Amino acid sequence: MKLSFTRVRKPVRLSLRLPVSIALDRALLTVAAFLFVGFCFSAVFLGSGIFRMLSGLTGAFFLIYFILVYRVRIWVPLVSALIMLVVTMVKADSNFLSSLFFIFSLFSSLCLAILIRDHDLGWVFITIPLFLFSCYLLYLFAVLEFGPTEFNSVFKGYSRNGVGAVLLALLSGYVWYCYEKKSNPSILLGALALFLMFPLYGRANIVGGAVLFALVLYLNLGLAGSFCLGLLSVLLLTLGFDPLLNYILGSTNFSAGIESPRSEMLREYVDQTNVGSFFWGTKLSAVDSIVDHGGNTHNAFLRAHSYFGLVGIGIILALSVAVLLMLSNGLFVLLVISAVFIARASLDIIYLGNIFDYLLLGPFLYFYRPDRSTVVL
């Protein structure tokens, strides 16, 4: 007697509200995205701390949404955030509010980068802001003939170097998002962003923009095409080398050479660090060269260690491990984007613990792809 077994399938409950819920989710996230980006750029243009606070409150929405909607193993970032919060509360020094803002910006940006990737929100968070901001800067430069001095006067929240860093962050986020979605970034938009780095004067932004534009060419033309275009560019630059060199040395910050107070800040910071401050963070007020520059470390990693001590070093190690993972897995594009972020963060505090982190942290989340749950708002 032959027995046969038939698998009995459990009935599948279909919800007619599911597409509606997804549509409402996307609409809600899109509206919140417009508010968030609007508050961020209001902080750049107007310089009011109110807009930074409002961008932070909007970031809280994305953080809460992420926790509610995703089934995730969040104990590592959660414990890290709690430890950082404990260190901040124990120290309770003059950097208390800045430390809280750092924690909140970092972890809300991590969540926001995942939401941008998984909900296909790059157009509203990255592409449109990059295009509009580039067009506005082009108008200021080409029509109103703005130079470094004028750029410093029009943006009340950021200097011309900070404005260049925002443009660089937008370009970085744009290249990352196109890579994630397996689409080619616009060569024209990348070239425009690089071109605008020059009147914005900053050396680090120009170099970072050039690296990202080379990446844009690689993603569009491949290695051979990029190499040929590079040779053609070198030839054209050679023919007109003198005028270009005169412009770079006379109208950008390359005229200052490679001298920088950052090495002195780093040396004095290390000198002021003992066993106790290594674990709890060295006070910035104890470093004369940093005090002379208004308390600005010009290095986001120094600031992180000053705020959180050993946890700040943990952040540096986590970024380093992520870069090594990219290298070992052959993720060349993500590796280059990450290197631009780390290099730029080591030269200023506008990255890492600030409102535009969501544009920069995406490459580090390549290996983190949590499943969506059935919970919706």
Side-chain angles (χ1 to χ4, degrees):
M1 180 177 179
K2 186 177 181 180
L3 298 177
S4 63
F5 297 92
T6 303
R7 179 180 295 177
V8 179
R9 294 184 178 181
K10 295 181 180 180
V12 179
R13 290 185 297 175
L14 298 176
S15 173
L16 296 178
R17 294 183 57 192
L18 184 58
V20 177
S21 298
I22 294 175
L24 288 176
D25 276 9
R26 287 183 60 83
L28 192 61
L29 287 170
T30 302
V31 171
F34 277 114
L35 289 174
F36 179 81
V37 172
F39 290 142
C40 287
F41 278 94
S42 296
V44 173
F45 282 93
L46 303 177
S48 173
I50 295 176
F51 292 111
R52 285 173 61 86
M53 181 184 70
L54 290 173
S55 68
L57 292 175
T58 312
F61 166 79
F62 297 114
L63 186 60
I64 294 170
Y65 180 94
F66 180 84
I67 293 173
L68 290 178
V69 173
Y70 280 76
R71 279 197 313 269
V72 291
R73 297 178 292 277
I74 61 171
W75 66 271
V76 173
L78 181 60
V79 169
S80 301
L82 290 176
I83 293 175
M84 293 166 74
L85 184 60
V86 168
V87 172
T88 298
M89 296 179 68
V90 168
K91 294 176 67 174
D93 55 12
S94 59
N95 296 315
F96 179 74
L97 293 179
S98 297
S99 300
L100 288 180
F101 189 81
F102 185 107
I103 297 170
F104 192 78
S105 295
L106 180 64
F107 289 99
S108 62
S109 292
L110 285 171
C111 297
L112 185 51
I114 295 174
L115 292 175
I116 289 172
R117 178 189 69 192
D118 295 352
H119 287 267
D120 200 20
L121 294 172
W123 64 277
V124 63
F125 272 108
I126 303 173
T127 307
I128 291 177
L130 173 61
F131 175 76
L132 293 179
F133 195 49
S134 298
C135 288
Y136 179 69
L137 293 176
L138 181 62
Y139 169 76
L140 294 180
F141 173 68
V143 179
L144 301 185
E145 299 183 350
F146 271 36
T149 303
E150 291 79 11
F151 278 117
N152 268 338
S153 64
V154 73
F155 298 100
K156 295 181 174 60
Y158 284 69
S159 66
R160 46 87 189 154
N161 193 46
V163 172
V166 172
L167 183 62
L168 182 66
L170 286 167
L171 181 59
S172 177
Y174 175 66
V175 177
W176 161 70
Y177 186 71
C178 289
Y179 178 80
E180 278 285 349
K181 297 303 174 182
K182 295 179 174 57
S183 62
N184 292 333
S186 168
I187 295 178
L188 181 61
L189 191 53
L192 177 60
L194 173 60
F195 171 76
L196 291 169
M197 299 294 180
F198 288 90
L200 289 171
Y201 202 67
R203 293 168 293 183
N205 296 326
I206 294 173
V207 173
V211 172
L212 291 176
F213 181 63
L215 206 55
V216 170
L217 293 178
Y218 167 75
L219 290 173
N220 279 275
L221 305 176
L223 189 59
S226 301
F227 180 74
C228 292
L229 187 60
L231 287 179
L232 179 62
S233 300
V234 170
L235 178 62
L236 294 176
L237 290 175
T238 302
L239 295 176
F241 185 74
D242 288 340
L244 179 64
L245 181 61
N246 292 335
Y247 174 80
I248 291 176
L249 293 180
S251 300
T252 72
N253 207 28
F254 281 105
S255 58
I258 61 174
E259 295 296 326
S260 172
R262 293 178 179 87
S263 57
E264 182 182 358
M265 292 180 182
L266 178 59
R267 180 183 57 79
E268 291 188 14
Y269 186 90
V270 173
D271 290 340
Q272 292 294 329
T273 301
N274 52 37
V275 176
S277 60
F278 175 79
F279 285 95
W280 290 99
T282 303
K283 291 184 178 180
L284 299 179
S285 58
V287 184
D288 292 336
S289 58
I290 293 178
V291 174
D292 293 340
H293 286 81
N296 186 349
T297 61
H298 290 281
N299 187 317
F301 302 112
L302 277 189
R303 183 183 63 163
H305 178 262
S306 174
Y307 287 175
F308 311 111
L310 195 61
V311 183
I313 296 178
I315 293 174
I316 299 172
L317 291 176
L319 295 177
S320 302
V321 170
V323 169
L324 290 176
L325 286 173
M326 295 175 198
L327 181 62
S328 63
N329 285 272
L331 301 172
F332 169 74
V333 173
L334 298 182
L335 178 67
V336 172
I337 299 172
S338 302
V340 170
F341 159 61
I342 291 174
R344 191 64 183 84
S346 67
L347 299 173
D348 210 337
I349 59 173
I350 193 171
Y351 296 166
L352 194 66
N354 220 322
I355 56 179
F356 290 100
D357 279 2
Y358 75 94
L359 295 163
L360 305 158
L361 297 175
F364 298 97
L365 300 171
Y366 180 85
F367 302 100
Y368 185 70
R369 300 179 182 274
D371 296 327
R372 286 291 305 277
S373 74
T374 56
V375 181
V376 292
L377 292 179

